[in-house]
Amino acid sequence: MDLLRLAILFTLHLCLTNACQTRYNRKSPVLELRPLPAQSGSTLIWLKTSVQESIRYWQNELDNFLKPYINRDVSENMETCNREMPPSKDKFCEVNIGSDFGPCTPKHGYGYHKGTPCIFLRLNEIPKGWTPQFYNSSVTPKEIPEYLKTHIKHNEVLGRYQTVWVSCDGVNAADKENIGPVSFYPEMGFPANYLLNSNVRGYRAPLVAVFFEKPQRGIVINIVCSVWAANIPRDLDQKIGSVQFVLLVD
């Protein structure tokens, strides 16, 4: 009994000092990355294209992650909507893993068998009452990538600026060179309508698939993906605003 009490007191101490406060006092969503390696704490996505077990591991990880989206039960709280059509009150937008996700679907093996892998980003654990403060072409932070600034300006003309934008880049100059072309599906961010009513039962957080079209083979590539909204800080340790991982394609 004394050991049990000691464990409870220790857990309570942690909650009062750091871990639980971080979780329950968080004021912005968490950015999640999938797939993840089997080793706890590792962020290395090492794809061995000549080893079927390696290909299947990463594909299975994504299959399991996407099960709630693909093999979904019909929810009375889920609606089909889009940028122009928000969900009804107490409903949320359906995330459909179909043709809009390009090569980043089970049908295409998420590109792993070709050495052109997809990763998925999810904006999750949205605090109750939180609404994004969007950037537009006239208000962007200086550290936002130039290609994303151009993309925001183009979409603003189309009236499509109400988005939590996404970027993925190499960490240093060599990584930026070795990462190759990158595409985003269904688009380069999380539209506002898909972030509404996140407290509704059965809510499924929106996804962005990132497709690495031609990463340099045999080279370790350090990559950071970020989301951009004025009220989302970037803290890699807490997975707030940014996630960093390592990609190695052999």
Side-chain angles (χ1 to χ4, degrees):
M1 181 63 73
D2 289 342
L3 288 176
L4 178 59
R5 287 174 178 165
L6 182 61
I8 293 172
L9 287 172
F10 181 70
T11 303
L12 179 60
H13 170 73
L14 287 177
C15 284
L16 291 175
T17 53
N18 46 46
C20 289
Q21 287 195 66
T22 300
R23 179 176 177 83
Y24 293 108
N25 292 342
R26 186 181 290 123
K27 296 181 180 179
S28 59
V30 171
L31 183 62
E32 297 177 342
L33 164 72
R34 293 293 188 280
L36 293 174
Q39 298 83 1
S40 177
S42 174
T43 59
L44 171 62
I45 299 176
W46 185 0
L47 172 60
K48 304 172 186 178
T49 55
S50 61
V51 180
Q52 286 301 312
E53 289 80 3
S54 173
I55 295 171
R56 283 197 297 268
Y57 172 81
W58 298 112
Q59 291 173 335
N60 288 341
E61 285 294 299
L62 288 178
D63 283 343
N64 291 332
F65 171 66
L66 294 174
K67 275 183 181 177
Y69 298 89
I70 296 174
N71 302 325
R72 61 195 184 281
D73 295 327
V74 176
S75 171
E76 62 183 8
N77 297 326
M78 185 166 59
E79 287 186 339
T80 300
C81 50
N82 53 42
R83 278 182 167 277
E84 290 71 35
M85 185 173 64
S88 306
K89 182 181 179 181
D90 297 328
K91 305 286 185 181
F92 62 88
C93 290
E94 176 186 13
V95 179
N96 186 8
I97 309 297
S99 59
D100 287 347
F101 279 81
C104 302
T105 63
K107 176 182 177 181
H108 296 96
Y110 312 105
Y112 281 80
H113 58 299
K114 295 182 177 179
T116 57
C118 295
I119 62 99
F120 282 76
L121 300 174
R122 178 166 66 180
L123 202 58
N124 207 8
E125 297 185 30
I126 300 173
K128 186 176 181 179
W130 182 86
T131 55
Q133 298 173 7
F134 304 108
Y135 286 126
N136 55 47
S137 60
S138 60
V139 182
T140 55
K142 62 181 181 180
E143 63 269 27
I144 199 168
E146 286 299 322
Y147 69 83
L148 183 52
K149 290 181 182 179
T150 301
H151 183 78
I152 292 172
K153 186 174 182 179
H154 172 74
N155 279 269
E156 188 176 21
V157 173
L158 302 175
R160 302 176 63 178
Y161 68 91
Q162 292 187 323
T163 300
V164 176
W165 304 104
V166 169
S167 66
C168 287
D169 296 282
V171 172
N172 56 46
D175 297 321
K176 293 179 189 297
E177 180 178 346
N178 292 324
I179 195 173
V182 179
S183 298
F184 300 82
Y185 296 92
E187 56 184 288
M188 200 182 294
F190 301 98
N193 285 345
Y194 288 80
L195 304 173
L196 296 175
N197 305 330
S198 61
N199 61 325
V200 171
R201 182 175 58 86
Y203 174 77
R204 294 168 178 83
L207 303 170
V208 170
V210 186
F211 176 49
F212 298 96
E213 300 179 30
K214 198 175 181 181
Q216 186 66 40
R217 296 285 184 105
I219 300 292
V220 170
I221 307 171
N222 298 283
I223 300 171
V224 60
C225 294
S226 301
V227 288
W228 301 92
N231 56 344
I232 300 182
R234 278 173 298 286
D235 185 327
L236 280 173
D237 292 335
Q238 298 297 330
K239 299 180 182 177
I240 298 174
S242 294
V243 290
Q244 187 168 333
F245 64 100
V246 179
L247 179 63
L248 174 57
V249 179
D250 278 339

